[in-house]
Amino acid sequence: MTSRRLRGLLLALVVVTVLYAAACTNGGSGRGRDIGGGGHGPATGGAEPSYGAGLGSASPGASTSASAGASGSPGGAPAGGWWKPAVGQTWQWQLTGTLDKSVAAEVYDVDGANTSAADVAALKSAGRHVICYVNVGAHEDFRPDAKNFPESVQGKGLDGWPGEKWLDIRQWNVLEPLLTARFKQCKDKGFDAVEPDNVDGYSNSSGFPLSAGDQLTFNRRVAELAHRTGLGVGLKNDVEQAATLAPAFDFAVNEECARYNECDELKVFTSAGKPVFHVEYDGSTGSFCSKTKALHFSSMKKKMNLDAWRETC
């Protein structure tokens, strides 16, 4: 073998060795995100989303512990998903007055705009989960972002609620960025989920020819938007469409299903392991608690102004 051929073989061996080493190094890192299913919620804590098991309901203690490890903050969403409450969890719903953080409830539902990040953090440090009340189906002229809603999407006023007008939910291209900003505010303040209100405009005199199909489309879009933001989401009332919408939502919030004899329509949630957070305004707790306990609802009596007062079953 000539020295020239020997040098050629040695050079070839060096090149092969270098290429092999580079391939081994790249094989263990630098892989791009390859996530199927359309993306149901951003990752937290730098982890990639996981759409399998492990995102279901848990006791407040277990959920808080798992969340702290995944997202670095007590009560946050598990990595790659969003918080899902458990059937039977106790709750407090307060939208007016000075927030009472001392109520012995596992879940708080409070106003997203009027509740500070510090209040949310205080509740979560005490082991509570916190739901963000957001009006998605009606315009409220007293909200900081009220001017961002064009007149073209504002319809008739809501009976009994001055300053509120139904929205044209068909105009998703207009509403999506506005609702995205509201949901992001909830997320940034540390909330675990959202309670989107007034998602039944089709069954009211809204000023728009809304159909049941329009409502189903809008409500599903709202649920998807919440999940995409990393938040759990509840179906507010809209009992007539509960069976169809339950798969898209993580829980339900209901007013007066006992009074209107509609509670059975919400069994689809608890049967699927999703809680129903329920209130009645009239009558005594004895008039409805036996019924809703049998359905495994989390029920209480509240004043209609939804201040701190509550009487649980």
Side-chain angles (χ1 to χ4, degrees), residues 44 63-64 66-68 70-71 73-79 82-83 124 129 187 190-192:
T44 58
S63 178
T64 299
S67 301
S71 64
S73 61
W82 50 86
W83 171 68
K124 293 178 72 171
H129 287 284
K187 182 68 174 177
F191 283 95
D192 299 300

Side-chain angles (χ1 to χ4, degrees), residues 239 254-264 266 278-282 284-285 287-292 295 297 299-300:
V239 176
N254 177 263
E255 296 171 290
E256 302 191 284
C257 70
R259 178 183 178 184
Y260 295 105
N261 197 28
E262 297 174 332
C263 294
D264 285 339
L266 295 169
H278 160 249
V279 299
E280 294 288 329
Y281 300 121
D282 296 321
S284 66
T285 53
S287 67
F288 63 87
C289 283
S290 59
K291 167 71 172 179
T292 59
L295 296 172
F297 291 2
S299 295
M300 60 183 173

